[in-house]
Each structure stands twice: as C-alpha cells, then as structure tokens.
Amino acid sequence: MIRFIHAADLHLDSPYIGLKELSVQIADQVKESTFQSLENIVEQAISHQVMFVLFSGDIYDLEDRSIKAQIRFRQQMERLRKHSISVYLIHGNHDFIASKSDHLSLPSNVKVFSPAVETEYIETDKGETIAVSGFSYDKRWIDKRMISEYPVRGKQVDYHIGMLHGYEEGQNSDHGRYAPFSLNELISKDYDYWALGHIHKRQMLSSEPPVYYSGNTQGRHKNEAGEKGCLLVELSQSGKQIQFISTAPVIWDRLTVDASMEGSLNSIYEHIKKEMASLPERNILLNLVVSVSPDLKNQILKKIKQAEFTEALHIYADSYFVHITSVKIKIKSSEGESVSLAELFPEEWDKSISHFLLSDPFYNETSELLSAHPFSKELKEPSERYRKEIVDSAVTLLKQDLGSIEGD
C-alpha cells in the first residue's frame, strides 16, 4: 500500500480579485492565505505519514516567482525533507520553467520534472516499484498533445502514477486549453492514478482508474467559492481510497437572504444578521444577495446600498471573520420575480446586451483600455465567460446609476 498527497495550483503570493477595502488584520490574513494553505498541506503530509507529495503545476502565480513565494515554498519542502517525505513537482502555464539563474534551488527531496516527459522510479520498503511520469512547461502556451509521449505502464511496475497539468477536451471551462488530452488517452496508459492540475474546480474524471483534478488550494475570487485543499490518496492491490482535505484558511461563499417581508431598515438589518449567524465560524469572503419588497420606501433602499450598511454587517470575531465583498439588492415583483429594466425596454435592452457579448463589439469598446495594461501583451483574447462577466458588471452599474432596482 502506498499513501501520498496530490495538490495543484497553489498560486503562491497570488493577488485576490474583487475585494473592497479590508482592515489591516484581515488584509494580512488574506495575503497569507496561499502560504497558509501550503503549510496546512505539509502538516497533513507529515501527520498522515505519506511517502511523497505530488504538486501538479502552478506552484507559483507568475513565471518570475516572487522571492517571498520561493523562500516560503523552499522552507516547507525542507520540513518535508526532515520527515523523509519526497516531493514530485511539475510546472504549469503560470510558473513555466524559463531562466533558472534567478530561481532559488530546492532541497534534495524535491524532484522537478523537465520539459520532456520523464519517469521517476521509487522503491518501497516492501520492495514494490512505483513509477511517476510527468513534464514541466517550458513556455506559457503548450498546445501539443503531451499525453502521447507518456509511456504505457510497464510490467515491472507495481504502481504507475501520471502527473499532468492540462485541459481535458470537452470540458465546459474557461481555463486555457493547454496540453490537451482525452480521458480515453489517460485510461489507455494503464496507470493507477492520474494527478491532474490546471482546472481550479476539484473533480473526478474517472473512478477506475482514479483520475482527479485536486482543484486549487485557496480560492482567490468569487468564482472559486467553497472548500479548497488537497487529496489524500491510498493505493493498494486490493483497492484505493481518495479523501479530500480542506486546507484553505479563507473561503469564498454566497448567501441569499429573502427580506421581502420586512418593511423597515432595522428589520432588514436584523433579518440579514440572523441569516449570517448561521454561517460556519471561519474566515469567509461573502457575496450577499438580498431580496426586498417592491413597496419598500426608496430612502430605505438607498441606505441599504450604502457602504456604511454593508460595513455594519461584517463579523469580526476573535478567531474568524465574515467580510462582505459585495451586496446585490433585488426587488421582487408581486409574483416573486426580480424586476428589471428589461421589462421596460425589452427589445432594446436585449439587443444591446447581445451586441456587446459578441467578440468584435466587445473588443472595439475595450481594446484601448485593455492595451493600456502593462501585461496586455500576455493577455489572450477575452473568453465568452469573461465578456459576459464584464457586461453583467456594466449592467449592474447602469441600473444603480439610474436609481433602479438592482445594485452592488
């Protein structure tokens, strides 16, 4: 039996997206969250006495790798070395291998795979042979089907594990289509486990053989909500066990509150506070959606939209916080549906939104702004999901500016 941890997409020292002003204390915890998650992974590896840890790409957020991120990662790998735990690491599209002259070296227990697919062999105390195959990106864009270069499991191997930072064809995802592969191609290699990286949502592609994206280890924006962490894997000749372990010190969450029966500012406030009290006592970055009555006085509606109202809802306890990152106010019609400006000008409204969701009109309106960004040359063409998110945000701001029925 072998036991190991599979983690990916740590994005150490990555900035958070979509956050408003934070207190110094909370800001420090948020900045430390990717590092704390790494420390928690190492703690789990030590406490479960694993044989090795797999990091399936994007350990760092950028190719240049901040000194802080490199030092913190190196320190944690040294902890694993002291407990005789090996590490197998591949680099992905974010932290691809370029110049090594400005990178810190890693302890001897860490094996970094080269840009060519290679296989490492491990001998267990019981004389079993484990093979680990993988490769690291040497540039940001890898569109080659690297899976074709992975070897088929050899007869002399007791366990064969594949590490791959790539995109499964057919997935409904906005992640870049790097190193594409199909599930059938993975299965054809006859491996005992596939440790995948690149997709930030934890998911099982196959149970036999086990093929898993472990997801990223710390959510960084509202679209990466929920528990994040790593997978503890046990393989034996008689079966396998895969267990998710939460390691993220901060999670993104969403809370929908129906306050449509409340008619005063105080009753709405108390209703929201009561609903928030049911949240788990842990660090949460919260997206709050509140439905209110169409008969609510306009002056109350304006106060709910103010930043002071949101600030009064934050929870700052001794051991945890719940910080509201956005508040969306929805006004219900008598049928319980949200009223929108689309009801007033349906044809014009739909036509305008559809127009700007298209690639060319969106690009024409945003190209000057996007090209001004210092990293614009690294940006790929905005995806459909990205365009929709920007248009949705514009719609929300427009409604709010017009004093309408929905706002953030």
Side-chain angles (χ1 to χ4, degrees):
M1 187 270 287
I2 61 172
R3 182 186 298 120
F4 60 90
I5 277 180
H6 165 204
D9 300 284
L10 282 67
H11 291 274
L12 296 177
D13 210 16
S14 172
Y16 273 60
I17 301 172
L19 289 181
K20 298 180 180 179
E21 292 185 4
L22 300 174
S23 67
V24 174
Q25 181 180 4
I26 292 180
D28 288 343
Q29 292 185 64
V30 169
K31 291 178 182 177
E32 278 289 302
S33 62
T34 57
F35 298 113
Q36 184 61 56
S37 186
L38 169 61
E39 291 182 19
N40 292 340
I41 291 170
V42 171
E43 288 286 351
Q44 291 294 328
I46 294 171
S47 65
H48 285 93
Q49 298 180 320
V50 302
M51 183 178 297
F52 51 84
V53 176
L54 307 177
F55 289 113
S56 296
D58 285 357
I59 288 81
Y60 305 102
D61 194 54
L62 295 171
E63 181 274 329
D64 61 4
R65 313 173 193 191
S66 71
I67 290 295
K68 178 182 178 181
Q70 292 187 62
I71 291 175
R72 296 287 289 274
F73 186 73
R74 180 176 177 171
Q75 289 172 340
Q76 294 306 310
M77 297 307 98
E78 184 63 30
R79 286 182 63 201
L80 291 174
R81 187 192 66 79
K82 290 178 179 179
H83 286 83
S84 300
I85 297 174
S86 299
V87 176
Y88 297 92
L89 182 157
I90 61 175
H91 288 291
N93 56 293
H94 275 267
D95 62 349
F96 62 94
I97 298 174
S99 172
K100 294 183 180 180
S101 61
D102 58 351
H103 295 166
L104 296 178
S105 61
L106 293 170
S108 59
N109 62 317
V110 180
K111 162 61 183 178
V112 179
F113 285 81
S114 71
V117 174
E118 56 182 331
T119 301
E120 284 287 306
Y121 293 94
I122 312 162
E123 293 295 329
T124 70
D125 294 337
K126 296 182 178 180
E128 296 175 307
T129 301
I130 305 168
V132 181
S133 298
F135 80 97
S136 289
Y137 285 47
D138 60 353
K139 56 185 176 181
R140 183 174 298 278
W141 299 93
I142 300 287
D143 52 13
K144 182 179 179 182
R145 300 189 74 85
M146 296 296 293
I147 183 59
S148 64
E149 299 185 11
Y150 280 69
V152 176
R153 175 201 185 108
K155 293 181 180 180
Q156 78 282 10
V157 172
D158 294 292
Y159 301 99
H160 202 139
I161 298 167
M163 299 178 69
L164 176 57
H165 192 86
Y167 177 88
E168 185 207 8
E169 293 174 328
Q171 281 216 35
N172 183 21
S173 170
D174 284 332
H175 286 77
R177 288 158 171 76
Y178 305 108
F181 63 87
S182 69
L183 182 57
N184 285 336
E185 286 175 308
L186 299 188
I187 294 175
S188 70
K189 301 299 179 180
D190 197 27
Y191 289 5
D192 295 280
Y193 185 86
W194 278 97
L196 304 180
H198 182 48
I199 304 300
H200 290 183
K201 180 181 178 181
R202 183 176 71 258
Q203 53 191 298
M204 177 186 72
L205 302 187
S206 168
S207 61
E208 192 58 52
V211 179
Y212 281 82
Y213 281 109
S214 59
N216 57 338
T217 57
Q218 171 61 62
R220 300 167 302 152
H221 51 75
K222 65 180 181 179
N223 292 328
E224 295 181 349
E227 299 282 359
K228 299 290 183 177
C230 60
L231 298 176
L232 177 65
V233 182
E234 291 187 359
L235 302 178
S236 68
Q237 299 304 326
S238 60
K240 69 273 183 183
Q241 289 186 345
I242 293 90
Q243 174 189 349
F244 170 71
I245 299 177
S246 176
T247 62
V250 179
I251 66 168
W252 289 80
D253 203 353
R254 177 186 175 94
L255 178 65
T256 300
V257 177
D258 186 353
S260 59
M261 300 302 292
E262 311 297 341
S264 69
L265 181 65
N266 183 70
S267 63
I268 291 173
Y269 172 80
E270 293 296 336
H271 189 89
I272 296 173
K273 291 290 284 186
K274 181 179 179 181
E275 291 293 322
M276 289 183 61
S278 65
L279 293 170
E281 294 184 357
R282 60 169 302 173
N283 297 332
I284 297 175
L285 296 172
L286 188 68
N287 292 291
L288 181 64
V289 180
V290 182
S291 296
V292 297
S293 167
D295 300 323
L296 192 67
K297 294 181 180 179
N298 191 51
Q299 62 188 44
I300 297 178
L301 187 61
K302 288 183 178 179
K303 288 184 180 296
I304 294 174
K305 294 179 180 179
Q306 292 176 0
E308 289 83 354
F309 184 80
T310 301
E311 291 170 1
L313 291 169
H314 296 320
I315 299 174
Y316 300 132
D318 292 337
S319 59
Y320 73 97
F321 66 80
V322 179
H323 181 88
I324 300 172
T325 62
S326 68
V327 179
K328 179 173 289 187
I329 307 299
K330 292 186 176 181
I331 293 183
K332 285 190 172 182
S333 68
S334 57
E335 293 79 20
E337 298 295 331
S338 296
V339 180
S340 70
L341 293 179
E343 295 178 5
L344 300 177
F345 312 101
E347 291 186 16
E348 294 85 351
W349 186 260
D350 291 342
K351 184 177 180 180
S352 296
I353 293 177
S354 298
H355 174 73
F356 287 109
L357 284 174
L358 297 175
S359 179
D360 288 344
F362 182 91
Y363 179 79
N364 290 337
E365 293 298 326
T366 62
S367 59
E368 182 176 353
L369 174 64
L370 294 179
S371 63
H373 195 285
F375 300 116
S376 60
K377 63 181 181 180
E378 301 290 344
L379 298 176
K380 59 182 179 179
E381 181 180 352
S383 66
E384 181 179 353
R385 179 177 175 180
Y386 175 83
R387 296 196 303 270
K388 185 178 187 304
E389 192 168 304
I390 295 298
V391 172
D392 285 347
S393 297
V395 167
T396 298
L397 290 173
L398 179 61
K399 288 179 178 180
Q400 186 174 3
D401 289 343
L402 292 177
S404 74
I405 49 179
E406 184 176 311
D408 279 332

